[in-house]
Amino acid sequence: MRHLKAFHVFHVAAHSASFTQAADVLNITHGAVSKQIKTLETYLGVALFAKQGRHVVLTEEGIALRTYTRQAFASLEQGVEQLRTARSPHLEVSCEPTLTMRWLMPRMSQFHQQAHGDVRLSTAGGAVNLGAQGYHLAVRRDDFELTQPYQKQTLVAEWVGPVMSPDYWQRVRTLQLPMTLLHSQTRPFAWQAWQEGQQKRRDHQQAFEFSDAAAQTFEHFYFCLQAAQDGLGAAIGSYPLVMDEIERGRLVAPFGFQPSGHDYVLLRQQREETELERQFIAWLKQTMALSVPREDGVSC
């Protein structure tokens, strides 16, 4: 394109409304700005600026051209950014929302200490279309049917159990109160499944009274666990999602944990791994392998 430099000088001058300010931004002289503007006006055959006292203002033609250069240079900047980003190794990873917030994000700094690359996390649960949604990988709880021929790798078996704040546990145990059960709309049968598992194991702790009389239901599993931590009742916690708070003493799991029958899995398209994918998958598998409890609720 002819006179591209002149168009850029005009673009800066038109937005600063001052040849002097434009010269400072472009690190050229005031005279150089004037010369480029004059070159452009000669090329287009119109006046772009008009003097108004000691200042210059855009003509109607200058205002119109400013609209075009704004669009053109904005598009150029966007394209350059996309090219720059495309050259940088990055991964688009979709992960269960609560797992992302309570387990993955607190550990991402560990990964960045041993690998270089941009891992971009998005939160979603259930079925996923990796290609259509622009994801390289997805981390899911395998509680849905796969409809795509993805490569599935098991990361860790899920263990679940009732969790609550230490103060709440002390209160219901001392006063022999029935527990308030906390439910979430995203895992509506969590308590039922756990109690059925307890009965199969003939655990003596199943005799403890659990009451749905004062139950509360939350829209999302994350809020349900937060409510348990805040002493509103007891929630069924998936071990990776509560292990940090148990270790910090903010939650207790007095009945331990049992396998839920589900796994956390990694989904990816069947193609060759990039180096960043290989590093992230290896780190993820190694780190999640530590997220399995012993019967006393302490991680292995």
Side-chain angles (χ1 to χ4, degrees):
M1 180 180 180
R2 293 182 63 185
H3 306 302
L4 181 59
K5 180 178 180 181
F7 278 108
H8 184 236
V9 171
F10 165 81
H11 174 69
V12 176
H15 284 82
S16 62
S18 167
F19 286 6
T20 301
Q21 290 182 22
D24 291 340
V25 171
L26 296 167
N27 198 28
I28 59 178
T29 65
H30 182 284
V33 172
S34 298
K35 182 177 179 180
Q36 291 294 331
I37 298 298
K38 180 59 68 177
T39 298
L40 199 56
E41 288 178 329
T42 301
Y43 171 64
L44 297 173
V46 296
L48 299 173
F49 289 94
K51 287 188 177 181
Q52 192 174 76
R54 295 184 177 182
H55 304 285
V56 293
V57 295
L58 288 166
T59 62
E60 290 185 10
E61 293 81 4
I63 293 173
L65 183 61
R66 180 179 62 183
T67 300
Y68 303 142
T69 59
R70 179 189 296 126
Q71 295 172 352
F73 283 104
S75 179
L76 180 61
E77 289 177 4
Q78 182 180 9
V80 169
E81 179 61 22
Q82 289 177 349
L83 286 173
R84 186 193 65 80
T85 302
R87 294 185 60 186
S88 302
H90 72 280
L91 278 181
E92 298 288 347
V93 179
S94 172
C95 185
E96 297 271 355
T98 309
L99 184 66
T100 300
M101 291 182 282
R102 297 183 71 101
W103 186 88
L104 183 54
M105 288 184 66
R107 289 165 173 78
M108 281 304 299
S109 62
Q110 300 173 11
F111 174 72
H112 289 306
Q113 289 173 7
Q114 56 186 262
H116 298 288
D118 184 12
V119 178
R120 303 169 187 174
L121 300 176
S122 300
T123 57
V128 61
N129 189 327
L130 294 175
Q133 295 174 280
Y135 300 131
H136 297 103
L137 306 170
V139 181
R140 290 290 189 271
R141 182 175 182 260
D142 66 346
D143 55 358
F144 62 94
E145 184 178 353
L146 280 180
T147 58
Q148 302 283 344
Y150 295 139
Q151 183 183 96
K152 182 173 77 170
Q153 300 181 42
T154 299
L155 297 172
V156 70
E158 183 189 46
W159 289 60
V160 297
V163 295
M164 62 212 76
S165 71
D167 289 343
Y168 182 80
W169 170 236
Q170 180 66 25
R171 186 165 68 252
V172 297
R173 184 174 56 174
T174 302
L175 301 178
Q176 297 184 335
L177 300 174
M179 285 189 184
T180 298
L181 307 190
L182 305 178
H183 301 274
S184 72
Q185 294 178 9
T186 52
R187 297 194 184 190
F189 304 110
W191 272 104
Q192 179 183 336
W194 178 80
Q195 288 174 312
E196 289 174 356
Q198 289 289 93
Q199 291 169 2
K200 290 178 181 178
R201 295 169 64 197
R202 301 185 182 277
D203 197 315
H204 68 279
Q205 292 166 337
Q206 67 181 310
F208 196 95
E209 186 177 357
F210 299 93
S211 172
D212 247 347
Q216 294 189 55
T217 300
F218 297 87
E219 182 179 4
H220 198 279
F221 193 40
Y222 180 86
F223 301 135
C224 185
L225 294 179
Q226 186 62 47
Q229 188 173 321
D230 292 338
L232 299 183
I236 295 297
S238 175
Y239 188 72
L241 311 184
V242 297
M243 58 183 289
D244 290 344
E245 302 309 315
I246 289 175
E247 290 177 2
R248 295 178 182 128
R250 297 171 182 170
L251 286 173
V252 293
F255 306 107
F257 294 85
Q258 65 189 32
S260 71
H262 291 288
D263 298 321
Y264 285 104
V265 298
L266 178 74
L267 305 177
R268 62 181 299 273
Q269 292 178 321
Q270 297 186 20
R271 54 172 175 75
E272 187 176 353
E273 293 176 345
T274 66
E275 178 60 21
L276 183 57
E277 278 181 303
R278 186 193 63 76
Q279 292 176 343
F280 181 73
I281 292 171
W283 172 82
L284 189 63
K285 293 174 70 173
Q286 180 181 18
T287 308
M288 285 215 81
L290 304 176
S291 301
V292 179
R294 295 195 295 265
E295 287 298 322
D296 59 4
V298 179
S299 62
C300 297

